[in-house]
């Protein structure tokens, strides 16, 4: 591997104009494709294999007029104190609003609150439910504005009007917080290298790489369904790893230049050594992200594959475009010093650095350091024992938003269950008397605990499929509602019918259950594959094992922090969380496991390859740890700060999923880089000594030698020995 990348780096250096033009042309092509071929992103999703999805599929086949996957808008009306909606003048206004809502674009039907019985017992509060022909992602701003226009007479009459439902959800807006990370990255790179040229090249390479990745994903949206959060998450991960990979190779190139190598040879050595680490680090990230496909949920699969694509582009950019840019810069990466900023290159300096002193401290007291670090992370992980999974609803919206006001108004007037009605589908295709069976099912459900109301069955034209709406007594995210869904699904077959439950609340329950059951198998798959890869890279059994156990500490503490902040509400205001706290988003644990494992292995590879390089070149166990750590710590520190900054910029997103992922990744990178990799790893390596590099001989013969430490690039001394008399005179 080192030899191949050495040659590739030198080729890119010599043919720098060709390589640069190739990547710029690719960026232009991707940009044109994104501008001309892209399609709309989707906000909905399907969950194959779940009862909720099967019920929706059945309704689409037999009851298409219901629009089972269509968007809904809930218009909540409240009369002033002392008045009722049934007052003649007020009732006339409400009926006028209902009539206007029914004429709106894409509207399937509108449930009149007086006919549908959606007037609260106090008479002041009611709601009209608008059902659309299309999903929420297909609605335009004009469609949403039509709802507000239709309700103007109610506001003019003094009624309070609020809106809920997925149809009225505001679309995610791009904002400046998403470029904060890029600005922080520029500052960190300038501090790290003390040179505008050295800081600018990794940023330039990263911007081109992320541009190609983002444009490629946008182009793909014209041919396949792409979720609305997918491009944002791919951008987040792609930007972080692009800068990190370029930073690592740039640091090694400056080291090679500082010790006297010519630029072309320095590029070759940087690509062969640091480039090898980048390739294998990127490969672990790709394995972890692409492995999300095994979960079996389409939108999670597309998130993983899209992010994996940006990582592949980042690796390719780092080992080709960056060497070409270094060919243009040459020795100038050591020049262009920033005034008043003294940053000696730790690769070339002989005096002790902060990294060297820290490594020396850890290796002198490995047991104490290890205990403190592990116990500290264990304490942070304790809240994870209370981890609850769910999907966001209007209860988690900001208190000032109309969605939250609508939710609270309905909860006060009807009870929290009205915000999460269940749709019960009765399949009577094989029943002798479908209507009689549906009536008996209705009575059975009414007798279940936690049921407030059950609407009479509505049949399709064929009379073989019916829908009942069940209003729980508890809120959508509660354990009581989850138990109710299970109880309805356990209702025995009556008269040959089949009962299933769907709707947003049931979907949330099903996706949480599916993701929860998929977490352990996915974790085993990803860790197993990456363990084999790391064993090939480090030619050791204990180093990959240590890396895996450290990752588990990172994940446990990250889940603990997520529960404390987003579920319990600790320090929620500090992170801009203004809505009501609730369960952690269902897909977050699986997604975080994949991404965090890949990023954790980045730092593992970056740090430990330098330790192995020192070990292979003859250093003793402790010295190899200290020397390797001192060479890699500055780069890993800069890389971690950049990643934390990139991910933290997304905490202020208006989309709950993006906000939680941004916080989770930022926290995980902080813990993994500074506690696990830069504290626990050197402590454990010092305790293991030479046994850290133990590998059974039979396994050593089976594993390929990828030479990630670049031993094949070292000059070999000429063979020496006794002179052969026959050849002495030649």
């Amino acid at each position: 591997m080192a030899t191949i990348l050495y040659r590739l780096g030198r080729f890119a250096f010599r043919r720098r104009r060709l390589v640069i033009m190739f990547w710029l042309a690719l960026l232009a092509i991707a940009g044109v494709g994104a501008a001309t071929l892209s399609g709309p992103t989707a906000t909905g999703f399907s969950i194959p294999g779940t009862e909720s999805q099967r019920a929706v599929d059945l309704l689409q086949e037999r009851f298409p007029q219901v629009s089972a996957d269509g968007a809904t808008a809930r218009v909540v009306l409240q009369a002033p104190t002392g008045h009722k909606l049934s007052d003649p003048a007020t009732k006339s206004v409400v009926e006028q609003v209902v009539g206007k809502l029914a004429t709106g674009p894409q509207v399937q039907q509108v449930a009149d609150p007086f006919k549908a019985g959606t007037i609260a017992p106090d008479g002041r509060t009611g709601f009209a439910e608008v059902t659309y022909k299309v999903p929420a992602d297909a609605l335009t701003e004009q469609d949403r504005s039509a709802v507000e226009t239709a309700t103007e007479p109610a506001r003019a009459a003094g009624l309070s009007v609020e809106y809920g439902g997925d149809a009225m959800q505001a679309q995610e807006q791009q904002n400046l917080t998403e470029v904060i990370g890029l600005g922080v990255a520029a500052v960190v790179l300038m501090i790290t290298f003390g040179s505008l040229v050295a800081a600018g090249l990794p940023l330039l390479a990263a911007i081109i790489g992320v541009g190609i990745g983002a444009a490629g994903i946008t182009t793909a949206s014209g041919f396949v369904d792409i979720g609305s959060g997918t491009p944002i998450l791919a951008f987040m991960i792609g930007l972080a790893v692009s800068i990190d990979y370029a930073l690592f190779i740039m640091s090694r190139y400056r080291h090679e230049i500082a010790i006297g190598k010519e630029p072309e040879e320095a590029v070759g050595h940087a690509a062969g050594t640091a480039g090898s680490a980048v390739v294998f680090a990127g490969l672990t990230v790709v394995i972890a992200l692409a492995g999300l496909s095994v979960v079996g949920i389409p939108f999670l699969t597309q998130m993983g594959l899209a992010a994996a694509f940006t990582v592949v582009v980042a690796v390719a950019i780092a080992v080709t475009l960056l060497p070409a840019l270094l060919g243009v810069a040459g020795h100038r990466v050591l020049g262009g010093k920033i005034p008043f900023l003294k940053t000696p290159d730790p690769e070339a300096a002989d005096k002790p650095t902060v990294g060297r002193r820290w490594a020396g401290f850890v290796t002198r007291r490995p047991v104490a350091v290890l205990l403190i670090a592990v116990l500290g992370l264990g304490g942070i992980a304790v809240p994870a024992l209370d981890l609850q999974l769910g999907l966001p609803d209007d209860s988690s919206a900001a208190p000032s938003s109309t969605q939250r006001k609508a939710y609270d108004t309905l909860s006060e007037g009807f009870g929290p269950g009205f915000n999460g009605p269940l749709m019960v589908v009765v399949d009577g295709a094989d029943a002798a008397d479908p209507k009689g069976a549906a009536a008996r099912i209705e009575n059975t459900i009414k007798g279940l605990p936690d049921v407030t109301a059950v609407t009479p069955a509505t049949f399709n034209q064929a009379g073989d499929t019916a829908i009942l709406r069940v209003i729980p007594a508890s809120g959508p995210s509660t354990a009581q509602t989850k138990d109710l869904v299970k109880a309805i699904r356990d209702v025995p077959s009556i008269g040959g019918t089949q009962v299933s439950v769907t709707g947003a609340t049931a979907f949330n329950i099903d996706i949480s259950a599916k993701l929860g059951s998929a977490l352990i198998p996915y974790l085993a798959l990803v860790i197993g594959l990456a363990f084999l890869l790391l064993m090939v890279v480090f030619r050791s059994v204990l180093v990959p094992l240590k890396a895996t156990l450290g990752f588990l500490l990172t994940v446990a503490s990250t889940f603990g922090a997520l529960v404390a902040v987003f579920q319990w509400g600790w320090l929620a205001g500090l992170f801009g969380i203004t809505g009501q706290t609730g369960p952690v988003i269902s897909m977050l644990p699986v997604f975080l496991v994949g991404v965090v494992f890949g990023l954790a292995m980045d730092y593992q590879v970056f740090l430990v390859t330098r330790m192995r390089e020192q070990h292979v070149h003859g250093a003793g166990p402790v010295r190899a740890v200290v020397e390797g750590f001192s060479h890699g710590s500055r780069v890993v520190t800069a890389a971690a700060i950049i990643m934390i900054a990139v991910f933290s910029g997304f905490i202020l997103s208006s989309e709950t999923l993006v906000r939680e992922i941004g916080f989770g990744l930022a926290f995980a990178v902080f813990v993994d880089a500074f506690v696990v990799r830069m504290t626990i790893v050197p402590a454990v390596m010092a305790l293991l000594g030479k046994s850290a590099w133990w590998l059974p001989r039979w396994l050593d013969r089976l594993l390929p030698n990828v030479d990630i430490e670049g031993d094949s690039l070292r000059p070999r001394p000429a063979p020496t020995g006794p002179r052969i008399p026959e050849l002495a005179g030649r």
Side-chain angles (χ1 to χ4, degrees):
M1 176 62 72
T3 303
I4 294 173
L5 292 175
Y6 170 82
R7 293 171 180 170
L8 180 61
R10 295 190 63 178
F11 169 83
F13 182 94
R14 292 194 301 269
R15 301 288 188 270
R16 44 190 173 271
R17 292 184 180 178
L18 176 64
V19 173
I20 293 172
M21 291 302 297
F22 168 80
W23 283 107
L24 291 178
L26 193 59
L27 177 62
I29 293 171
V32 171
T36 59
L37 301 176
S38 63
T41 56
T43 56
F45 52 84
S46 62
I47 319 172
T50 61
E51 181 173 318
S52 296
Q53 189 64 50
R54 287 193 295 269
V56 168
D57 295 341
L58 179 67
L59 289 176
Q60 288 176 338
E61 176 187 347
R62 299 186 190 173
F63 221 145
Q65 63 268 34
V66 172
S67 300
D69 62 343
T72 58
R74 195 172 295 115
V75 180
V76 181
L77 305 165
Q78 189 173 55
T81 303
H83 296 269
K84 294 184 178 182
L85 293 178
S86 58
D87 294 343
T90 305
K91 183 177 181 180
S92 175
V93 171
V94 173
E95 290 174 341
Q96 180 184 354
V97 169
V98 170
K100 287 189 174 184
L101 287 171
T103 62
Q106 303 291 354
V107 172
Q108 176 78 43
Q109 63 179 6
V110 180
D112 187 320
F114 296 106
K115 296 177 181 178
T118 53
I119 302 293
D122 63 3
R124 288 185 57 217
T125 306
F127 69 91
E129 185 137 304
V130 184
T131 304
Y132 289 86
K133 303 174 185 177
V134 296
D137 56 273
L139 295 177
T140 64
E141 285 303 318
Q142 289 75 17
D143 299 333
R144 296 180 179 87
S145 298
V147 176
E148 298 178 4
T149 301
T151 58
E152 286 178 357
R155 292 186 185 277
L159 298 180
S160 171
V161 182
E162 303 296 346
Y163 312 100
D166 59 347
M168 302 304 291
Q169 291 290 337
Q171 298 299 296
E172 170 73 2
Q173 300 294 321
Q174 300 296 318
N175 52 63
L176 292 178
T177 62
E178 295 174 4
V179 299
I180 290 176
L182 196 60
V184 174
V187 173
V188 172
L189 288 170
M190 286 188 289
I191 293 175
T192 301
F193 294 128
S195 165
L196 290 174
V197 177
L201 292 184
L203 279 178
L204 177 60
I207 290 171
I208 293 174
V210 170
I212 293 172
I217 294 169
T218 304
T219 302
S221 67
F223 304 92
V224 296
D225 289 335
I226 299 291
S228 59
T230 298
I232 300 173
L233 298 174
F235 172 84
M236 180 195 308
I237 295 169
L239 179 62
V241 299
S242 293
I243 296 175
D244 277 9
Y245 294 164
L247 166 65
F248 196 56
I249 292 177
M250 169 64 78
S251 178
R252 189 58 184 254
Y253 172 76
R254 281 165 53 90
H255 165 65
E256 300 294 340
I257 287 289
I259 62 176
K261 286 189 174 69
E262 289 300 315
E264 182 176 341
E265 186 66 14
V267 164
H269 274 266
T273 52
S276 295
V278 164
V279 169
F280 282 98
L283 190 55
T284 59
V285 180
V286 170
I287 288 174
L289 292 171
L292 289 169
S293 304
V294 305
V295 177
I297 297 179
F299 77 89
L300 204 56
T301 297
Q302 68 176 224
M303 278 185 181
L305 293 179
F309 169 70
T310 61
V311 174
V312 170
V313 173
V315 172
I317 286 279
V319 297
T320 57
L321 178 59
L322 184 60
L325 294 175
L326 290 173
V328 176
H331 285 92
R332 281 175 290 181
V333 296
L334 297 178
K337 295 293 183 181
I338 301 173
F340 311 111
L341 186 59
K342 298 183 67 175
T343 53
D345 186 355
E347 302 285 0
D350 294 327
K351 66 178 183 179
T353 61
V354 174
R356 185 184 297 272
R357 287 194 291 268
W358 174 250
F361 170 80
V362 171
T363 54
R364 285 194 300 271
R365 302 169 180 82
V367 175
V369 169
L370 184 61
L371 285 176
I372 293 173
V374 171
L375 291 175
L377 293 182
I380 297 174
V382 168
L385 297 174
D386 189 40
L387 177 65
Q388 298 174 14
L389 300 179
L391 289 180
D393 55 30
D394 289 345
S395 68
S396 60
S400 60
S401 67
T402 185
Q403 289 84 4
R404 177 63 180 278
K405 290 177 181 178
Y407 183 96
D408 292 341
T409 302
L410 287 180
S411 296
E412 292 170 5
F414 296 91
F418 265 79
N419 287 290
L422 306 175
M423 182 183 291
V424 178
V425 180
V426 180
D427 181 1
D430 298 327
D433 181 15
K435 291 188 177 180
R440 292 166 60 191
I441 291 171
E442 178 185 337
N443 290 330
T444 301
I445 294 176
K446 284 181 178 178
L448 295 175
D450 210 54
V451 173
T452 296
V454 181
T455 63
T458 302
F459 278 85
N460 63 347
Q461 284 186 336
D464 61 359
T465 306
I467 296 174
L468 298 90
R469 294 187 183 273
V470 178
I471 307 300
S474 304
S477 300
T478 61
Q480 292 90 332
T481 300
K482 182 178 178 180
D483 293 339
L484 175 60
V485 170
K486 184 178 184 302
I488 296 174
R489 288 173 173 173
D490 290 340
V491 169
S493 176
I494 297 177
T497 60
Q498 297 292 327
V499 176
S500 55
V501 185
T502 187
T505 301
F507 259 110
N508 292 356
I509 293 170
D510 287 347
I511 192 173
S512 298
K514 185 161 186 174
L515 287 168
S517 63
L519 181 59
I520 299 302
Y522 170 67
L523 194 61
L525 173 69
V526 170
I527 290 179
L529 290 175
F531 184 89
L532 293 175
L533 181 64
L534 292 175
M535 196 157 52
V536 171
V537 171
F538 295 119
R539 308 199 70 77
S540 165
V541 173
L542 296 180
V543 170
L545 179 62
K546 168 188 59 63
T548 303
L549 294 177
F551 157 72
L552 294 176
L553 275 175
T554 298
V555 167
S557 60
T558 300
F559 287 175
L562 282 167
V563 170
V565 174
F566 290 92
Q567 191 173 306
W568 293 355
W570 292 3
L571 304 177
L574 181 64
F575 298 102
I577 303 167
T578 56
Q580 178 178 321
T581 58
V584 173
I585 293 182
S586 304
M587 70 284 295
L588 192 60
V590 171
F591 188 82
L592 277 181
V593 163
V595 177
V596 171
F597 185 78
L599 299 181
M601 294 308 104
D602 276 2
Y603 300 127
Q604 176 74 16
V605 171
F606 291 168
L607 274 176
V608 182
T609 48
R610 294 306 294 264
M611 296 179 189
R612 175 165 176 77
E613 187 175 340
Q614 295 295 322
H615 168 73
V616 169
H617 297 161
V622 174
R623 183 184 172 190
V625 171
V626 174
E627 292 292 331
F629 186 92
S630 64
H631 282 302
S633 61
R634 185 179 179 88
V635 178
V636 170
T637 299
I641 293 174
I642 289 171
M643 276 201 176
I644 292 169
V646 171
F647 295 145
S648 296
F650 292 85
I651 296 176
L652 300 180
S653 170
S654 60
E655 190 168 324
T656 306
L657 174 61
V658 176
R659 185 168 65 235
E660 289 192 13
I661 287 181
F663 172 84
L665 289 178
F667 185 86
V669 168
F670 173 81
V671 168
D672 198 82
F674 296 110
V675 182
V676 175
R677 307 302 155 187
M678 299 179 71
T679 303
I680 293 178
V681 165
V684 173
M685 294 291 287
L687 288 172
L688 292 176
K690 290 184 178 180
S691 61
W693 308 109
W694 173 77
L695 185 69
R697 290 185 180 180
W698 63 269
L699 189 56
D700 186 49
R701 291 192 296 268
L702 290 177
L703 296 179
N705 185 6
V706 296
D707 187 26
I708 194 171
E709 66 276 353
D711 190 54
S712 61
L713 304 181
R714 291 170 61 85
R716 303 296 181 189
T720 59
R723 300 178 65 186
I724 302 176
E726 291 80 357
L727 301 177
R730 296 187 182 182

